[in-house]
Amino acid sequence: MINSQDVDTAKKELGRKLAGWRTTRKLTQLDLARSVPSSRSTIAGVERGAQVVDHTFWARCDALLRAGGELILAYGRFQELERQFQAERAAGAARARWGDIDTWSRQIAQSGYGAVPDPVARSTAAGCAEISGVPNDLPGVAFDDMRRRTLVKWGATAAAVASTGVGRSSVAHAGRVGAHDAERLSKAAVRLYGLDYRHGGDSLWQAATAKVNDGYAMLEQGTYTGTVEGHLLKATGRVQMCAGWLALDAGEHTIARNCFTDALALARQASDREVETATLSYLALQANALARPREASRFASAAENATSTIGGPPRLGAVPQLRKAIASALMADQSGTDTAIRLARRVLDRDGDKPTEQWCTFLSPAELDGIEGTCAVELGRTTQAQTLLERAIAGYDDRYARNRALYRVRLARARLTAGAPDGAADAANEALDDLAEEVASWRVNAELEAVAHQLAAYPEIPAVAGFLARYPSVAGPQ
């Protein structure tokens, strides 16, 4: 069992590593803060082990201090330790609240979900219910506001959920498999994407892996024709790709990478260039999120090559360009960014009014504004960034609450850079509104945490004080 002292010790060791590399490079805390960018008090707090910051901070410090990946790896080890601690604590709290686990598990089994060996798996059961269309009102368990909130929060306890075995295939003997089975699997991916746009990946990725395992069970244990095999390979590849995306949005990067690797293998077995293109684009997105823009650019180029050989669903050709745009901005390549955005807009102008696959429906003028605004933030074009991000936010309704929350956080960052902490607090507070309505996304939370740390330098501003008072209960570190 991991205890809080273990986490505190690991946090302090991580801080000592940062201080060691900073000293080696003969930089003061203020020097490093100006380069990250951050505040001197944040650097000091991290080095004391008193403050937690996100992956972006560590990636930038590693690059600035030429630590060769040591700081990123150390942060990854700390994050895994903390995740396990939170998972164990959540499991204990769940057992205390729900009492007789065997009785609860039998109730779930009777409702058609199959045996559930641990209450931490409740989020997976609920997620599978929404995907399959089964009602969420489980026997003896009221689906109240607390349970909805729990679904979101427990989605982050990935280690505990994975250890329970929930998500393994419910198809013990697949028997005869037909085209309708593959179609049901494809529809599950469609439903998952729709839920993701509204809620984020934290509360959904385990349910996606359960559907993936159903696909593999049918492939390995079922009886089917050659035509059905092709449909089943494509459907399983689509769900596997979706599971990877949801895990990425939940911050489960190793799981996401494994899902993407398997999705590529399935796509190539099925000669499905659409899934191959989309999966390579997701890998580029992940690389950008992990501050590896050169890798992202390579994946985006591979995706562009794949999509150039197919007709593909409308809008799909814009996705590699958007990944290239972000990668170029992270490398301070203004010309590369502008070219990629221009090409993406050209695709959307051509295909924007055509029906498309579910994973492409997010591609709208609002999304392109959001991506271009994000690039402008990275390139220091704060006025342009604010205009674009405000336009992106206005273009999203509640069906895309996760994307809206993400761009509200980035707008807050742009306003901070422009020297407007009160406006930044307003945008950050609006992001909290989305999070309070059951958006659970590692990407949103990680970026909002960085903004919160910066806003902490302005506690005398009423809007900032209001945000800081609200932040811990809605989105702060658990």
Side-chain angles (χ1 to χ4, degrees):
M1 292 286 291
I2 299 168
N3 58 47
S4 59
Q5 186 59 47
D6 295 328
V7 175
D8 287 342
T9 300
K11 193 189 304 180
K12 289 174 182 175
E13 177 58 29
L14 183 59
R16 283 193 289 270
K17 281 186 179 295
L18 177 62
W21 277 102
R22 179 181 57 75
T23 302
T24 298
R25 299 304 178 202
K26 296 181 172 55
L27 295 176
T28 66
Q29 290 178 341
L30 185 58
D31 291 334
L32 183 58
R34 286 171 173 166
S35 298
V36 170
S38 183
S39 65
R40 191 208 61 79
S41 61
T42 295
I43 302 296
V46 172
E47 291 186 351
R48 289 197 313 272
Q51 196 164 334
V52 176
V53 286
D54 64 2
H55 185 281
T56 300
F57 172 91
W58 289 102
R60 287 175 177 167
C61 285
D62 193 278
L64 288 163
L65 299 173
R66 304 190 302 282
E70 182 178 321
L71 291 176
I72 295 174
L73 289 173
Y75 174 67
R77 288 192 293 269
F78 165 75
Q79 198 174 37
E80 181 59 30
L81 180 73
E82 187 177 43
R83 184 179 291 119
Q84 290 178 22
F85 170 66
Q86 297 291 353
E88 290 172 5
R89 188 170 70 172
R95 291 188 182 94
R97 176 169 181 85
W98 299 106
D100 184 352
I101 304 308
D102 290 336
T103 299
W104 183 85
S105 183
R106 283 195 298 273
Q107 291 174 336
I108 299 296
Q110 291 165 6
S111 73
Y113 294 112
V116 182
D118 193 292
V120 179
R122 191 179 297 267
S123 63
T124 302
C128 286
E130 283 201 79
I131 294 156
S132 61
V134 178
N136 280 316
D137 49 333
L138 308 182
V141 182
F143 194 74
D144 54 15
D145 287 341
M146 185 283 300
R147 275 198 63 238
R148 282 193 290 271
R149 191 79 177 127
T150 299
L151 184 152
V152 172
K153 287 296 183 185
W154 278 351
T157 60
V161 174
S163 70
T164 67
V166 171
R168 293 174 187 158
S169 176
S170 61
V171 186
H173 300 285
R176 187 72 184 176
V177 178
H180 62 283
D181 295 299
E183 180 64 19
R184 274 205 302 269
L185 205 56
S186 293
K187 286 182 178 178
V190 169
R191 180 67 172 146
L192 279 161
Y193 276 111
L195 289 169
D196 165 64
Y197 294 145
R198 184 182 293 268
H199 298 296
D202 267 7
S203 57
L204 295 170
W205 71 264
Q206 303 99 324
T209 59
K211 305 307 291 185
V212 169
N213 286 328
D214 281 354
Y216 280 125
M218 287 188 279
L219 282 166
E220 295 306 314
Q221 301 170 23
T223 303
Y224 42 74
T225 65
T227 300
V228 169
E229 180 181 34
H231 292 324
L232 198 53
L233 281 168
K234 286 188 175 184
T236 305
R238 279 162 165 71
V239 180
Q240 184 71 279
M241 177 181 71
C242 180
W245 159 241
L246 294 170
L248 190 165
D249 195 51
E252 298 293 339
H253 290 291
T254 300
I255 293 168
R257 187 74 171 235
N258 290 340
C259 288
F260 291 143
T261 300
D262 288 350
L264 279 175
L266 288 163
R268 285 165 182 166
Q269 290 173 58
S271 299
D272 190 342
R273 300 305 291 274
E274 293 172 15
V275 168
E276 182 177 353
T277 298
T279 301
L280 287 166
S281 296
Y282 279 135
L283 284 164
L285 188 153
Q286 183 181 37
N288 278 328
L290 296 176
R292 298 200 291 259
R294 290 183 180 179
E295 180 183 72
S297 185
R298 291 192 295 271
F299 277 129
S301 293
E304 186 180 18
N305 290 338
T307 198
S308 67
T309 63
I310 58 171
R315 305 184 222 179
L316 182 58
V319 182
Q321 299 302 332
L322 295 179
R323 307 304 173 235
K324 278 189 173 184
I326 295 289
S328 296
L330 290 172
M331 293 186 287
D333 179 1
Q334 182 171 313
S335 174
T337 297
D338 291 343
T339 298
I341 290 291
R342 184 174 65 253
L343 291 173
R345 289 195 182 277
R346 184 181 301 168
V347 172
L348 193 64
D349 288 344
R350 183 191 67 211
D351 296 340
D353 59 346
K354 298 175 184 175
T356 189
E357 298 279 359
Q358 181 67 21
W359 66 70
C360 288
T361 58
F362 74 97
L363 276 173
S364 63
E367 180 66 13
L368 265 63
D369 286 339
I371 294 293
E372 187 174 3
T374 300
C375 293
V377 173
E378 296 295 339
L379 292 167
R381 303 170 173 176
T382 55
T383 300
Q384 180 191 28
Q386 291 178 72
T387 299
L388 288 163
L389 290 168
E390 287 166 359
R391 202 162 69 198
I393 292 161
Y396 279 126
D397 58 25
D398 288 344
R399 291 173 299 169
Y400 295 90
R402 192 271 320 285
N403 295 41
R404 185 176 62 195
L406 184 65
Y407 292 131
R408 282 173 166 166
V409 174
R410 291 175 181 174
L411 176 59
R413 182 180 161 200
R415 288 175 175 174
L416 273 168
T417 303
D422 50 348
D426 290 340
N429 252 315
E430 289 174 347
L432 288 182
D433 291 341
D434 284 326
L435 292 172
E437 291 298 319
E438 298 173 14
V439 171
S441 164
W442 164 82
R443 293 187 304 151
V444 176
N445 284 326
E447 294 189 29
L448 184 57
E449 184 180 359
V451 167
H453 285 309
Q454 289 183 271
L455 284 172
Y458 307 96
E460 73 283 358
I461 298 175
V464 173
F467 166 78
L468 293 175
R470 186 183 174 204
Y471 170 69
S473 63
V474 178
Q478 300 300 305

